[in-house]
Amino acid sequence: MIVRISALLISVALVVAPLQVAAQEARSRSILVLNQSDLRGPFYYLVFSGLRSVLSADDRSHLTLYAENLDLSRFRGKNYEALLHRYLKEKYQNAQIDVVVAVGAATLDLVLHWRSDLWPEVPVVFAMIDEIDLVRMQLPDGVTGKVVKLPLADSIKAAHALVPDLETVVFVGDAWDSLTIYRNWKEEIPVATRGLKVIDLVGQTMAEVRRRVAELPDRSAIIYSAMFSDGKGTYYPPATAVGLVAEKANRPIVVAAETFLAPGGAGGFLLVPVRIGEEAARLALRILDGELPSNIAPAVGDAVKPIFNWLQMQRWGVREADLPPGSEIRFREPGLWEKYRWQTFSVAAVLLIQAGLISILLHERHRRANAERESRNRLTELAHAHRQATAGELSSTIAHELNQPLGAILTNTETAELILNSPSPNLSEVKEILADIRRDDIRASEVIHRMRSLLRRVPFEDKVIDLNDTVRKVFEFLSVQASARNIALYFEPSGKPLQVKGDQIQLQQVIMNLIVNSMDAMAAMPNGRAVIGRTEVNGGSSAVVSILDSGPGIPADKLNEVFDPFFSTKKQGMGIGLSISRTIVQAHKGRIWAENQSEGGAVFRLSLPLTLS
Ligand code: ADP
């Protein structure tokens, strides 16, 4: 015992270094704070912090603050009290104390006991006195303070909030009599736990408590008062002890001090130590300012709050709506927004910018699609106009082409009439003549049909077409014109079909321009006039159509220029045929160019992307 007490005194000496709150002017006034328990534990440390912060903030008075730690949770008994009495008397015999602050009922008991000897007439401010203790104590004059209301009934209420179908409460803590704050609960148990089963683990060793709390029944809650010792001489700060219990507990733990929440308490009506200190400091200041303690009636303070641990609520599935009204929730995990505010903000900003860019791009795409549609329409118009012009150019040969079958029909009809007017008409001959007439009529109507299709005005069509078939039709169409102009036309299609995507009429127009140009180029040649068409695959991804002629060719420096609008070397030429052809080919994602053959004559080639069927 001797060894322990001397150890205590050393620890006290460490704590009691006076705190100069403000510089001294006249006589400094002094407050002596007597703490019931260990100031190094979190609870009393926070009480003292609250007290000191209010006193420090006060600039009206010059204060010296003394603090003593009586450690009454661990050391009790007459000898110890006598030792403390002697110690305080010796230490403060020359210090003039203006207010004594007694924190806790056990402290107040001693202060009242010592007062006449140590601090006669000195006002006493108490803090953290349970209202039940207050009734028990006979307060003399000059003593006032704040009362805490911490009934066991409130802890049971909290247990019901945590476990709505509560059946059992489990008491865990040091023996009631050794407790300083919660000892009054003992008397309250029969009433407060009415209708509930009680498992009493009070006073058990820590090992035993940890074993028992691991296998508690469903629908139970632990009510933790405070554990300072494991019953074998090992002492804990009670906040540490609640953590050890929580580690093993299979049910939520109702606690009654704010400092028990973080280590594993689920919540309850909690003593908030900072507020206890603040309330005491405010009263002490009022008294130092001259107010008589007898004019300040002890009253219930504002140091108990319903506070719950969000993490524990999640663990036990507790709903916020089930908590007592006005409950505060601590340790709530921040939502994604709170937790990743900047990251979320950056991502949102990037998304917004991206969305903006996408909408700009979409807008651009829309505009481009519109522009493309518009230019295709224009091209269709232009191509149609040019086809009309070509038809005009071809009209003389077309007329000639029509005249031939029409003339033959006339002659055949006249012959048939003559035969029929003869005395014995040869009907089988008439039959043959009629067959000739039909054939010529079909020929004439084909000419008209081709002419009409050349002059047809249709919107741009995007279809898969066979290029061999497309080119062949143009060669067929121009065959009569060619023979009328004494030109040989040959078409050499590729071995397999060439599928491209586009508008057949426009592509035919390109081929027709090229053939007509070739025929024009050879007009002055006495003989050997020939136009050859060829289609082939180039590298597997494009088709190439070549139109070769045996004309004079194109001057090397004009090979590109011929595609310029209004470039023409012809007397009646408009110079837009090749320019329109290039526009049509480009609209089909293709390319057109001119070359000269080594053996003479020009060759025009156009390549178009093949499409997969
Ligand atoms: P146009 O036929 O009205 O002159 P084009 O644009 O079709 O307009 O042709 C432009 C010019 O290109 C022609 O006037 C001619 O000088 C030249 N050209 C086109 N094809 C050939 C060809 N096969 N051989 C030689 N020159 C050609």
Side-chain angles (χ1 to χ4, degrees):
M1 193 62 181
I2 299 287
V3 178
R4 273 202 198 145
I5 288 174
S6 55
L8 163 80
L9 290 177
I10 292 165
S11 77
V12 168
L14 288 174
V15 177
V16 295
L19 289 157
Q20 287 291 336
V21 174
Q24 295 219 355
E25 272 178 7
R27 186 183 75 74
S28 162
R29 286 173 305 165
S30 304
I31 295 177
L32 171 61
V33 181
L34 298 174
N35 284 303
Q36 179 166 267
S37 212
D38 191 345
L39 192 60
R40 288 163 302 176
F43 190 88
Y44 286 89
Y45 175 80
L46 288 170
V47 171
F48 191 68
S49 298
L51 198 133
R52 189 168 46 183
S53 68
V54 170
L55 296 181
S56 309
D58 184 80
D59 51 6
R60 292 165 302 169
S61 47
H62 307 290
L63 288 172
T64 301
L65 185 60
Y66 299 110
E68 292 291 344
N69 169 18
L70 305 189
D71 215 357
L72 297 176
S73 301
R74 296 194 288 180
F75 301 96
R76 303 297 285 268
K78 291 280 163 238
N79 287 345
Y80 178 62
E81 286 169 15
L83 179 69
L84 285 178
H85 182 202
R86 271 207 317 280
Y87 168 75
L88 293 172
K89 187 166 183 163
E90 280 290 313
K91 184 169 177 180
Y92 293 98
Q93 63 179 333
N94 296 322
Q96 191 174 342
I97 303 297
D98 297 290
V99 175
V100 172
V101 175
V103 181
T107 312
L108 183 59
D109 270 340
L110 288 178
V111 167
L112 295 182
H113 185 60
W114 296 331
R115 188 168 175 235
S116 57
D117 182 36
L118 295 181
W119 308 289
E121 310 301 320
V122 175
V124 173
V125 169
F126 59 79
M128 209 173 70
I129 303 298
D130 194 283
E131 55 179 354
I132 296 173
D133 287 323
L134 193 71
V135 174
R136 180 177 49 80
M137 290 173 186
Q138 298 285 315
L139 288 187
D141 261 6
V143 179
T144 188
K146 287 287 181 191
V147 176
V148 293
K149 229 177 158 174
L150 198 68
L152 175 62
D154 277 354
S155 286
I156 302 285
K157 200 192 283 178
H160 276 290
L162 293 169
V163 184
D165 51 0
L166 187 74
E167 280 179 356
T168 309
V169 286
V170 184
F171 286 105
V172 170
D174 276 358
W176 295 113
D177 293 341
S178 70
L179 289 176
T180 47
I181 310 177
Y182 310 101
R183 61 185 172 197
N184 295 317
W185 286 4
K186 189 183 173 188
E187 275 74 48
E188 225 188 314
I189 289 177
V191 177
T193 63
R194 192 168 291 153
L196 294 169
K197 286 181 222 151
V198 173
I199 297 177
D200 187 4
L201 303 181
V202 164
Q204 302 283 344
T205 63
M206 177 58 88
E208 177 65 5
V209 168
R210 273 161 63 95
R211 196 180 62 74
R212 295 283 304 277
V213 296
E215 46 198 37
L216 293 176
D218 291 345
R219 302 178 186 178
S220 63
I222 298 165
I223 310 263
Y224 176 85
S225 52
M227 272 180 94
F228 290 85
S229 121
D230 72 346
K232 287 181 180 171
T234 309
Y235 293 95
Y236 311 100
T240 307
V242 74
L244 292 171
V245 177
E247 226 172 60
K248 296 287 175 189
N250 67 347
R251 302 297 305 149
I253 306 176
V254 178
V255 290
E258 192 192 22
T259 46
F260 298 168
L261 202 61
F269 287 81
L270 310 186
L271 271 175
V272 181
V274 169
R275 283 178 182 244
I276 292 171
E278 287 170 353
E279 287 178 344
R282 278 189 215 108
L283 279 183
L285 284 176
R286 280 169 69 183
I287 290 165
L288 288 178
D289 279 352
E291 232 176 298
L292 286 174
S294 48
N295 289 344
I296 308 172
V300 176
D302 194 22
V304 177
K305 294 267 165 213
I307 304 175
F308 289 82
N309 181 337
W310 192 85
L311 297 171
Q312 295 287 329
M313 285 170 65
Q314 300 311 300
R315 181 175 170 199
W316 307 111
V318 179
R319 295 185 318 150
E320 206 169 329
D322 288 340
L323 300 183
S327 290
E328 186 186 323
I329 296 178
R330 296 271 175 89
F331 317 124
R332 196 193 288 267
E333 275 196 342
L336 277 184
W337 172 244
E338 285 85 5
K339 212 167 173 182
Y340 301 110
R341 186 184 294 263
W342 285 110
Q343 290 91 329
T344 313
F345 184 75
S346 320
V347 170
V350 168
L351 284 178
L352 270 178
I353 292 168
Q354 218 172 41
L357 284 176
I358 288 171
S359 63
I360 289 170
L361 288 175
L362 281 176
H363 180 67
E364 277 305 306
R365 203 181 111 109
H366 185 68
R367 270 173 41 139
R368 214 177 60 193
N370 275 348
E372 269 175 19
R373 199 174 313 119
E374 182 70 6
S375 86
R376 273 188 181 171
N377 289 344
R378 290 276 144 77
L379 180 61
T380 307
E381 298 277 326
L382 196 60
H384 179 246
H386 189 251
R387 282 201 302 278
Q388 280 179 322
T390 312
E393 277 172 37
L394 299 176
S395 58
S396 59
T397 43
I398 289 169
H400 172 71
E401 201 180 346
L402 269 179
N403 266 337
Q404 261 190 342
L406 289 178
I409 289 169
L410 187 62
T411 316
N412 277 330
T413 314
E414 285 167 357
T415 313
E417 273 173 358
L418 285 175
I419 293 171
L420 286 174
N421 286 335
S422 70
S424 53
N426 182 346
L427 287 181
S428 63
E429 209 175 338
V430 172
K431 231 175 170 178
E432 273 177 34
I433 290 172
L434 284 175
D436 283 350
I437 290 174
R438 171 177 288 133
R439 196 194 60 235
D440 288 333
D441 183 84
I442 290 171
R443 246 180 77 195
S445 70
E446 269 175 8
V447 172
I448 291 167
H449 176 76
R450 287 205 299 266
M451 197 63 190
R452 283 179 63 187
S453 70
L454 178 68
L455 293 173
R456 218 160 40 150
R457 181 192 180 132
V458 283
F460 187 91
E461 277 193 343
D462 213 10
K463 278 189 180 165
V464 176
I465 51 174
D466 178 18
L467 207 52
N468 284 333
D469 186 47
T470 307
V471 178
R472 180 184 297 109
K473 280 185 180 146
V474 184
F475 272 81
E476 282 169 10
F477 181 71
L478 293 173
S479 60
V480 180
Q481 278 81 6
S483 62
R485 296 167 76 169
N486 199 19
I487 294 169
L489 276 191
Y490 303 104
F491 175 48
E492 299 167 5
S494 71
K496 41 185 176 172
L498 299 176
Q499 289 195 317
V500 297
K501 217 164 161 246
D503 185 304
Q504 185 161 34
I505 291 182
Q506 289 194 3
L507 289 175
Q508 281 178 340
Q509 182 175 356
V510 174
I511 308 297
M512 189 156 70
N513 278 341
L514 300 179
I515 299 173
V516 170
N517 274 347
S518 288
M519 295 199 292
D520 289 348
M522 294 183 293
M525 288 176 60
N527 47 35
R529 301 169 184 179
V531 179
I532 301 169
R534 196 176 286 151
T535 54
E536 52 210 332
V537 178
N538 177 26
S541 62
S542 60
V544 176
V545 183
S546 307
I547 305 294
L548 306 93
D549 63 48
S550 51
I554 301 162
D557 60 329
K558 301 280 188 267
L559 283 171
N560 282 327
E561 218 175 307
V562 290
F563 293 98
D564 291 346
F566 311 114
F567 177 88
S568 178
T569 54
K570 297 172 196 169
K571 234 186 185 166
Q572 306 294 327
M574 288 166 65
I576 57 166
L578 288 179
S579 153
I580 290 176
S581 297
R582 186 175 57 182
T583 311
I584 291 174
V585 172
Q586 285 172 347
H588 286 76
K589 299 188 173 66
R591 209 160 65 81
I592 185 167
W593 69 102
E595 293 169 7
N596 283 313
Q597 300 175 71
S598 52
E599 60 272 26
V603 53
F604 280 80
R605 298 189 206 278
L606 61 107
S607 87
L608 294 167
L610 281 171
T611 180
L612 298 172
S613 53

